[in-house]
Amino acid sequence: MRGMSKEGSSVSASTTDITGSGSLPPVSEIGIAALTLVVVGGIYLSSYPRGASLVLPTVLAAFAALFVLIGAVLLLVSKSLARETFVKVGKWSLLVYLIVAGMLEYVFVFDGTRGGTLIVLSAMLFIFAVDVPMIIAFTVARFHNSSGGVTS
Amino acid sequence: MTDVVNQANQGSSEELGLVGGGKRPEFKIVPVRTLPLVAVVIAGLIASIAGNWLWGLDFYHVVGGGLWTGIDLFVGFVVGPIIGRMSIPSRVEFSTRFMPKMLVIMPTVVTMTLGSGFQLARKLGYFNAGASQHGWLVASFIVVGVMTVIALGVLEPANLAVLFELKKEHPNGRVIEKLMRRFIFTAGITGAMQIATLIIMTRVATS
């Protein structure tokens, strides 16, 4: 899908499917849905840190985890994804978001959050720490084959 | 804004001014030299939280929040439209210098604001459902929640993908244009949320 310019340099043809999105699963959309559920659950719990019912946040966290799992499975079975780029971006993003989630976990424990609330919050933080890197890595990887190689 | 999209519809490296003499400035996706400064800022935030240091928490929240709101509105409504009217090579050059810095600045500023704000609200008793500011606090959570989903789910991945594209030997203008559209389309939502934040925070401070 490349043409040659007058100078002999290869340039990307602009008529091709630049994203490959036709053959890639909707991982970003699924990831954003999971992130939304986690954020809603987090808002609910943070609004009522003492005595909030855990039913709603637990259900939201369960659906969010399910969405992340579905996204991960779709990534595993996808043949057209630039896996090398996905792993390269994903591992560093995961490190960053694990640190962020760890800091948030520290704040919750430091503030005296305990029991079921802490378990649900921890689960949400873990989902958040896995979900955001998945969205980031997928977004970068889906455009990987759009043109030339990385220069450095 | 349509001229931004139309102009960017030209899609090859050649059109980006990167073939036949056009040169992009060298850049790193993550400007590593700035990370020690980020570490110092975050260490101060952790110390303020761990020590429940009221002035420190207030300082981090006011400075971080002011920068976050100011940068968001300024970039969305002043810098963004200016970039849209620049030539594509100029836009690429600006982006290669601007976006790596934003990749470091924005997460740091957001962490400062939210980390200190949460702890400040707890220390001042605003989490108590009976507190007069509790409703405003919940409203601020909702606003922050909307901005979190947009920032982490839509904008940050696009920012990184643009930088990876610009690192390629032959960047594809159509890819960059497609990704940059996300910033244009979300600027209105982000702007509205930031104005809501200003209203909420001034209400919290005065009620």
Side-chain angles (χ1 to χ4, degrees):
Chain A
M1 291 299 158
R2 288 175 184 281
M4 297 295 283
S5 72
K6 284 175 190 168
E7 294 84 348
S9 305
S10 63
V11 294
S12 309
S14 56
T15 52
T16 55
D17 178 8
I18 57 170
T19 64
S21 54
S23 56
L24 286 171
V27 174
S28 289
E29 289 80 357
I30 292 170
I32 290 170
L35 181 61
T36 305
L37 294 176
V38 165
V39 166
V40 171
I43 291 170
Y44 179 80
L45 276 177
S46 303
S47 302
Y48 301 98
R50 303 275 184 269
S53 165
L54 293 179
V55 175
L56 178 66
T58 304
V59 170
L60 292 172
F63 273 105
L66 182 65
F67 284 176
V68 171
L69 272 176
I70 291 170
V73 170
L74 289 173
L75 281 171
L76 282 173
V77 299
S78 172
K79 289 183 167 48
S80 49
L81 183 76
R83 289 190 191 284
E84 199 177 319
T85 305
F86 180 85
V87 171
K88 182 182 172 186
V89 176
K91 67 182 179 187
W92 288 108
S93 304
L94 184 64
L95 175 66
V96 169
Y97 282 93
L98 281 175
I99 292 171
V100 170
M103 284 175 63
L104 291 170
E105 180 79 11
Y106 160 74
V107 170
F108 291 137
V109 173
F110 179 76
D111 284 346
T113 308
R114 297 286 184 272
T117 306
L118 183 62
I119 291 170
V120 176
L121 274 172
S122 303
M124 286 179 165
L125 281 176
F126 182 74
I127 294 164
F128 164 82
V130 174
D131 185 40
V132 176
M134 186 175 80
I135 299 170
I136 292 173
F138 176 78
T139 305
V140 176
R142 72 189 292 189
F143 293 106
H144 178 78
N145 296 323
S146 63
S147 58
V150 177
T151 54
S152 60
Chain B
M1 286 295 169
T2 48
D3 61 333
V4 178
V5 174
N6 291 337
Q7 193 181 3
N9 272 338
Q10 310 156 60
S12 67
S13 306
E14 199 167 27
E15 288 154 342
L16 287 172
L18 305 175
V19 175
K23 287 243 174 187
R24 278 165 294 155
E26 282 299 312
F27 73 102
K28 286 187 181 299
I29 291 175
V30 178
V32 179
R33 279 186 305 177
T34 60
L35 295 184
L37 182 62
V38 173
V40 170
V41 171
I42 298 298
L45 174 65
I46 292 170
S48 298
I49 292 172
N52 261 328
W53 185 25
L54 184 59
W55 180 83
L57 293 172
D58 208 25
F59 177 83
Y60 268 100
H61 193 59
V62 170
V63 173
L67 287 171
W68 183 6
T69 304
I71 291 171
D72 250 7
L73 292 175
F74 189 73
V75 170
F77 296 104
V78 179
V79 177
I82 290 172
I83 296 171
R85 284 166 180 77
M86 291 164 77
S87 67
I88 293 180
S90 304
R91 205 186 304 175
V92 169
E93 185 174 356
F94 182 87
S95 298
T96 55
R97 295 179 194 279
F98 180 69
M99 295 182 85
K101 290 177 178 61
M102 290 296 276
L103 198 65
V104 172
I105 292 170
M106 291 316 287
T108 307
V109 164
V110 170
T111 305
M112 282 171 65
T113 311
L114 300 186
S116 57
F118 190 86
Q119 203 63 11
L120 201 58
R122 181 183 159 275
K123 191 171 172 60
L124 297 175
Y126 294 168
F127 281 132
N128 185 341
S132 59
Q133 295 92 341
H134 184 74
W136 290 111
L137 199 72
V138 175
S140 80
F141 286 163
I142 294 167
V143 166
V144 165
V146 172
M147 289 198 289
T148 300
V149 172
I150 291 173
L152 299 183
V154 180
L155 298 183
E156 192 182 0
N159 192 352
L160 262 178
V162 167
L163 290 170
F164 269 79
E165 190 64 32
L166 286 170
K167 267 285 187 191
K168 289 177 180 173
E169 197 174 343
H170 305 289
N172 188 326
R174 280 189 175 277
V175 167
I176 295 169
E177 179 267 329
K178 184 181 170 74
L179 288 163
M180 293 297 277
R181 273 188 195 176
R182 294 187 183 191
F183 291 89
I184 296 165
F185 291 152
T186 55
I189 303 171
T190 307
M193 292 299 111
Q194 289 292 7
I195 289 165
T197 302
L198 291 173
I199 294 168
I200 291 167
M201 288 302 143
T202 47
R203 290 300 303 229
V204 167
T206 53
S207 60

